[in-house]
Amino acid sequence: KQKTAYEIKECDWSSDVCSSDLACSVPSPTMNPLCKPWEHAASRRQFLGASAGALAFGALGGMISPQAAEALRKKEKQVLFVWLDGGISQLESWDPKPNTEFGGPFRTIKTSVPGTHFSELMPQCAKQAHRLCVVRNIATKDNAHSSGVARIQRGDPKNRGVPYPFFGSAIAKLMGPTSSKLPPYVWVKPGSGGFKTEDAGFLGPKYGSLAFGDGKPPEDLLRHASLTVEEDEERNELRERLNQRYAAQRRPTFTEASSFVFDTARELMKREHIFDTTKLPAKELDRYGRTEFGQHMLVARNLLEAGVRFVKVTSYGWDTHGDNFNASASLVPKFDRAFAAIVEEIGRAHV
């Protein structure tokens, strides 16, 4: 048995693996008495598979089981996750309450779904309402932005003792990359980019997000002009061999993540056009909006078309408490234009 501050679990020595992710304190007849958590990768996979709905992914529930993930993986299902940091006001967007105490100055408009109304700030989304499922009854018990942002994206209850993975990391773990071999979880955001291992929580850094700061590719993405294709292949072959030797006697968690980043970067090198929106027709740029968010949504569309499994797009500055009505009048139409444009494209592609 092993005892922690949270629970007691039995170790099944008959299978020669420990059922827990925590270090064992009782020796197995055939195992090192100081077995390490990372020595039980197969056991962890079984554990996560058995409890993904109940424990690992919290509010995601039993919908993301290994069986369901495998079925979706074969269909090459993809996810677009748009995060408006600070929170769009529901009263000025999806769920207006006109002529009430908190209704605000904006009117409602009809949508393409009879009986459903959106704010007048969202005329383009109103035309795409038949392609949307709008959930109006979600709320959290956490009124702090600093903890609430992570809690919504992780779906975790309080005080579980371990950091839970973000939604994108969970999808990356359970479904992996598509046949494109591009990274399974990317993040298009303002500001800095890089590999964000913290998103992965207890799954390990391999399942973090590859962030494209300002919607741009990583620096030095292209092969240096002084290198031939053959020389580049030889360098990567040498790197892989050295990585294998290094990882043989060490904890694999971070060496796997490093190798994963290199491998997916090589695939991105073949698709640098994804990030160049300047060559698109003017009409297409106008449809998404010539704004930062509009351009980032165009990059997201290109990433989805290229075969990325999970694409997250973040827009900052939505904490509009100080001047909500004027801020909403400026921000919401930018979101409306770009989001409706990509929904329309996705809808047409799957007719």
Side-chain angles (χ1 to χ4, degrees):
K1 293 181 180 179
Q2 59 186 64
K3 187 174 182 180
T4 72
Y6 306 101
E7 59 189 337
I8 298 177
K9 290 187 177 180
E10 295 283 349
C11 287
D12 181 9
W13 299 127
S14 63
S15 64
D16 199 36
V17 293
C18 174
S19 64
S20 174
D21 237 7
L22 302 172
C24 302
S25 59
V26 180
S28 159
T30 58
M31 293 181 69
N32 185 325
L34 298 178
C35 58
K36 306 297 190 298
W38 56 86
E39 295 174 348
H40 306 314
S43 177
R44 287 204 302 275
R45 284 194 292 271
Q46 294 167 0
F47 172 74
L48 289 172
S51 60
L55 173 63
F57 305 108
L60 301 179
M63 296 174 65
I64 305 184
S65 67
Q67 294 79 11
E70 178 65 15
L72 291 173
R73 184 187 65 78
K74 290 179 178 178
K75 294 181 180 179
E76 298 282 53
K77 292 290 185 180
Q78 296 167 272
V79 178
L80 171 65
F81 186 94
V82 180
W83 181 262
L84 306 179
D85 197 77
I88 187 173
S89 168
Q90 72 272 27
L91 302 179
E92 278 67 59
S93 56
W94 308 106
D95 193 16
K97 295 289 189 294
N99 303 317
T100 65
E101 181 182 0
F102 303 105
F106 302 110
R107 299 172 300 172
T108 65
I109 56 174
K110 294 181 179 179
T111 70
S112 59
V113 177
T116 298
H117 291 71
F118 292 166
S119 167
E120 65 175 320
L121 298 177
M122 300 179 64
Q124 303 306 318
C125 283
K127 298 174 184 176
Q128 302 300 321
H130 59 287
R131 292 190 168 107
L132 301 172
C133 176
V134 179
V135 180
R136 290 172 162 171
N137 61 347
I138 289 179
T140 69
K141 303 297 183 182
D142 195 332
N143 61 2
H145 284 293
S146 57
S147 56
V149 167
R151 178 152 292 125
I152 293 172
Q153 295 191 69
R154 296 184 191 277
D156 60 312
K158 294 182 179 180
N159 303 323
R160 281 289 188 174
V162 292
Y164 277 46
F166 275 27
F167 187 26
S169 294
I171 295 296
K173 165 70 176 178
L174 286 169
M175 299 179 68
T178 66
S179 57
S180 70
K181 297 182 180 179
L182 287 170
Y185 174 24
V186 305
W187 181 13
V188 182
K189 61 185 289 293
S192 63
F195 196 63
K196 309 296 184 181
T197 59
E198 59 270 23
D199 282 16
F202 64 73
L203 293 180
K206 177 181 176 181
Y207 300 103
S209 62
L210 179 56
F212 300 124
D214 293 325
K216 297 177 181 178
E219 294 183 7
D220 303 321
L221 176 66
L222 300 181
R223 186 180 71 251
H224 196 276
S226 64
L227 288 175
T228 66
V229 175
E230 291 75 17
E231 289 172 334
D232 189 48
E233 291 294 334
E234 289 174 355
R235 285 157 61 98
N236 276 292
E237 183 179 349
L238 176 61
R239 175 185 61 81
E240 290 171 358
R241 290 184 179 181
L242 292 174
N243 277 350
Q244 291 171 3
R245 180 187 298 178
Y246 181 84
Q249 302 298 323
R250 292 172 174 84
R251 180 175 178 173
T253 305
F254 287 96
T255 56
E256 285 180 354
S258 177
S259 296
F260 179 74
V261 170
F262 269 99
D263 293 341
T264 53
R266 292 182 66 189
E267 292 298 325
L268 282 171
M269 288 172 66
K270 305 172 186 176
R271 299 172 170 86
E272 68 270 15
H273 64 278
I274 289 174
F275 306 95
D276 187 4
T277 61
T278 62
K279 298 178 182 178
L280 295 174
K283 185 177 181 180
E284 196 164 351
L285 295 173
D286 291 337
R287 193 159 58 88
Y288 275 78
R290 296 176 185 261
T291 63
E292 179 183 69
F293 182 70
Q295 297 306 296
H296 289 181
M297 290 291 277
L298 272 171
V299 172
R301 183 202 65 178
N302 293 345
L303 287 163
L304 289 168
E305 288 181 345
V308 174
R309 176 75 72 185
F310 188 104
V311 179
K312 179 167 75 171
V313 181
T314 292
S315 174
Y316 294 110
W318 289 84
D319 194 354
T320 60
H321 295 295
D323 189 12
N324 178 64
F325 299 134
N326 286 326
S328 294
S330 173
L331 290 169
V332 175
K334 297 174 184 178
F335 165 79
D336 174 61
R337 179 182 291 272
F339 185 72
I342 201 168
V343 167
E344 183 179 17
E345 284 199 41
I346 293 172
R348 289 178 176 176
H350 289 81
V351 170

